[in-house]
Amino acid sequence: MPLKVLLFLSIYLTCAFGALFDPILGVCGYIFTYSVYSEHVWWGAILAQYPIRYSFTMALFLFAGMLLQKNKINWTIRPYNKLEASFYLFIGIIALSLILGIAPNTHSYDLFNKMFKISLFLFMFIRVVNTLKYYQMLIFTLIATGMFLGFQAYQAPASMFIRGRLNMLGGPDFAGANEFATFLGAILCFFGVAILKAKKWPLKFLYIIGAAFVLNGIILTRARAIFIAMLAATIYAIIFTPKKWRKQILIYLILGGILFFQLVDPGFFARMKTLKNPEQEASAVSRLWIWRASLKMLKDYPLGVGIGNFGRMIGNYDERVIGRDAHNTFVRCYGELGIHGLAFFMFIILLVFKQLRHIQNITRGTPLESRANLEVFALSLAIIIYLVAGLSHTHLYIEAQWWLFAMLICLEKAVLNEIQRSK
């Protein structure tokens, strides 16, 4: 059996059976499996021969582990935690769209099932990741996932490049070049903080090498959205960087910029130049058509056309965009879930940034302040990348975006438990 298949199965089985004794291994195993397993890569095609739903099976092991360790799990939903409650209410809005919108089809039910399963995983995710040790294991999993995907991108054959862009490499949510690049961009934020926190140079050097592979993977996608998103995240980093780490962060940003310009090729620059004149670029022009048509659709369907129905309906308002996606998270949101759906999604984003500030406030003046500031800083950058990239691509139903939102709740629980323990 090939080495990569053995490596994946070793990690998978270790996490699956380990989850029965410590559910955090199930959380880490699920995130790793969902992110890297793809039938489109050669080793994934070998594993696809077996009738196993790898991510779903890992989630079942996670749930079984939680039941076996039920005395160590706090199953309640904290009434004052508006962010977690908002996740489940948003699923309710999605379910309501099946009634308020046009007649749902198979795609509608598939998307709803996906979001419902995401909510179940988030429920388990938030219950399990409740200490700083577990939170750090989660961060390490994301970093290891980034290294794995970055190295695969470096080795990707020519057949995985469509019109010069890397595709079909990551898990089900990351098969497209733009989605894959956004996910890697978010992971790169955690690499940056890991480099800062590493005290030993061998470990720091390992993170730097891993970050270089991840950056190379992003460049291979030639995604314009992630280029803009990373630029926005860089500006945010310069303005809001924690004072204690400001010099180091600025130095690493400069070094990262130098590495970036060393890795890019003329094809990448040629694609980025289209940002100057979007009216002359076909895909950019089609987005403008879609967004204008979506406003007309909103007038007719203020409560939304229902989950999964955007592509079916948008062609009624502009024949040039029949069957097209919204290419915008917020347009897709109001198009399918209505004005109330968009308002509630914006409310969730407001709660996300409020939670970021809250974590900084509760740790101010404690021994955890410096560490918490770094964790909040990394999460802020990752969330900004997803939100900014979502202005030209749809991330409403992308699972990784919801992982980042849920990580805020986990981080808050972790620091509160640590403060209580120290007292």
Side-chain angles (χ1 to χ4, degrees), residues 34 110-118 173 397-398:
Y34 191 87
D110 287 343
L111 271 181
F112 173 73
N113 289 335
K114 176 183 179 180
M115 292 303 294
F116 181 71
K117 290 173 184 175
I118 288 175
D173 276 351
Y397 310 120
I398 296 294

Side-chain angles (χ1 to χ4, degrees), residues 268-283:
F268 179 88
F269 282 119
R271 185 167 172 79
M272 295 308 114
K273 284 180 180 179
T274 61
L275 291 170
K276 295 181 180 179
N277 299 297
E279 297 84 2
Q280 300 177 9
E281 210 274 326
S283 62

Side-chain angles (χ1 to χ4, degrees), residues 191-203:
F191 267 99
V193 169
I195 292 169
L196 287 173
K197 290 166 58 178
K199 296 180 180 179
K200 296 182 179 179
W201 268 104
L203 183 60

Side-chain angles (χ1 to χ4, degrees), residues 214-408:
V214 170
L215 183 60
N216 182 66
I218 293 172
I219 292 171
L220 291 176
T221 65
R222 295 185 179 178
R224 291 168 297 192
I226 187 59
F227 179 77
I228 296 173
M230 290 178 66
L231 181 60
T234 300
I235 295 172
Y236 179 92
I238 293 172
I239 297 173
F240 296 103
T241 180
K243 292 181 180 179
K244 179 180 177 181
W245 308 93
R246 180 159 294 171
K247 285 185 178 180
Q248 292 187 55
I249 289 175
L250 290 176
I251 290 172
Y252 283 123
L253 283 174
I254 293 171
L255 293 176
I258 294 172
L259 177 62
F260 171 80
F261 284 104
Q262 289 294 319
L263 291 174
V264 293
D265 61 337
F268 179 88
F269 282 119
R271 185 167 172 79
M272 295 308 114
K273 284 180 180 179
T274 61
L275 291 170
K276 295 181 180 179
N277 299 297
E279 297 84 2
Q280 300 177 9
E281 210 274 326
S283 62
V285 172
S286 66
R287 282 171 169 78
L288 296 176
W289 295 340
I290 293 168
W291 298 340
R292 289 168 187 157
S294 72
L295 294 175
K296 298 176 184 177
M297 186 171 71
L298 183 62
K299 291 181 180 179
D300 291 343
Y301 297 92
L303 299 181
V305 296
I307 183 173
N309 290 325
F310 189 94
R312 290 171 62 192
M313 293 297 293
I314 195 65
N316 295 337
Y317 299 89
D318 192 330
E319 294 181 355
R320 296 171 295 183
V321 294
I322 293 176
R324 294 292 299 274
D325 178 58
H327 290 288
N328 184 297
T329 298
F330 305 95
V331 172
R332 181 78 177 265
C333 187
Y334 71 63
E336 293 190 347
L337 307 182
I339 293 177
H340 60 291
L342 176 64
F344 200 82
F345 184 63
M346 296 299 292
F347 175 67
I348 291 175
I349 294 174
L350 177 65
L351 290 178
V352 163
F353 284 97
K354 185 178 179 181
Q355 189 94 343
L356 287 165
R357 176 64 63 181
H358 177 64
I359 294 171
Q360 290 179 314
N361 289 337
I362 61 177
T363 56
R364 187 169 289 120
T366 71
L368 292 175
E369 181 177 3
S370 179
R371 180 175 178 180
N373 283 340
L374 276 181
E375 303 296 356
V376 166
F377 182 65
L379 263 178
S380 301
L381 294 176
I383 290 170
I384 286 171
I385 280 179
Y386 257 96
L387 293 179
V388 174
L391 294 175
S392 56
H393 293 282
T394 301
H395 296 144
L396 189 63
Y397 310 120
I398 296 294
E399 190 161 341
Q401 177 176 259
W402 296 96
W403 294 345
L404 295 174
F405 292 169
M407 284 172 66
L408 283 168

Side-chain angles (χ1 to χ4, degrees), residues 8-55:
F8 176 84
L9 287 177
S10 299
I11 295 173
Y12 185 86
L13 293 174
T14 299
C15 290
F17 289 105
L20 301 176
F21 303 95
D22 196 343
I24 184 61
L25 292 175
V27 171
C28 295
Y30 178 88
I31 288 175
F32 180 78
T33 303
Y34 191 87
S35 302
V36 306
Y37 173 68
S38 171
E39 298 177 2
H40 301 287
V41 296
W42 66 267
W43 61 268
I46 295 174
L47 292 169
Q49 298 175 16
Y50 305 100
I52 301 173
R53 295 175 61 187
Y54 291 95
S55 298

Side-chain angles (χ1 to χ4, degrees), residues 116-135:
F116 181 71
K117 290 173 184 175
I118 288 175
S119 69
L120 293 179
F121 174 69
L122 292 182
F123 177 83
M124 296 187 288
F125 181 89
I126 293 167
R127 309 269 90 69
V128 171
V129 185
N130 56 10
T131 66
L132 287 176
K133 175 186 175 182
Y134 286 171
Y135 185 82

Side-chain angles (χ1 to χ4, degrees), residues 79-193:
Y80 61 83
N81 197 321
K82 298 177 183 178
L83 183 56
E84 182 181 1
S86 69
F87 295 159
Y88 312 130
L89 290 174
F90 191 68
I91 299 300
I93 290 176
I94 291 175
L96 188 63
S97 77
L98 294 171
I99 301 171
L100 298 178
I102 66 172
N105 60 6
T106 303
H107 181 55
S108 302
Y109 290 116
D110 287 343
L111 271 181
F112 173 73
N113 289 335
K114 176 183 179 180
M115 292 303 294
F116 181 71
K117 290 173 184 175
I118 288 175
S119 69
L120 293 179
F121 174 69
L122 292 182
F123 177 83
M124 296 187 288
F125 181 89
I126 293 167
R127 309 269 90 69
V128 171
V129 185
N130 56 10
T131 66
L132 287 176
K133 175 186 175 182
Y134 286 171
Y135 185 82
Q136 194 56 48
M137 289 176 66
L138 177 63
I139 297 298
F140 178 79
T141 300
L142 290 172
I143 289 174
T145 299
M147 286 183 174
F148 190 93
L149 291 173
F151 190 67
Q152 278 203 129
Y154 177 73
Q155 294 183 316
S159 59
M160 300 192 77
F161 289 81
I162 300 175
R163 297 177 183 176
R165 304 180 64 194
L166 180 62
N167 281 268
M168 302 296 180
L169 188 57
D173 276 351
F174 317 121
N178 297 300
E179 293 78 10
F180 182 68
T182 303
F183 182 57
L184 288 185
I187 289 180
L188 196 60
C189 302
F190 297 107
F191 267 99
V193 169

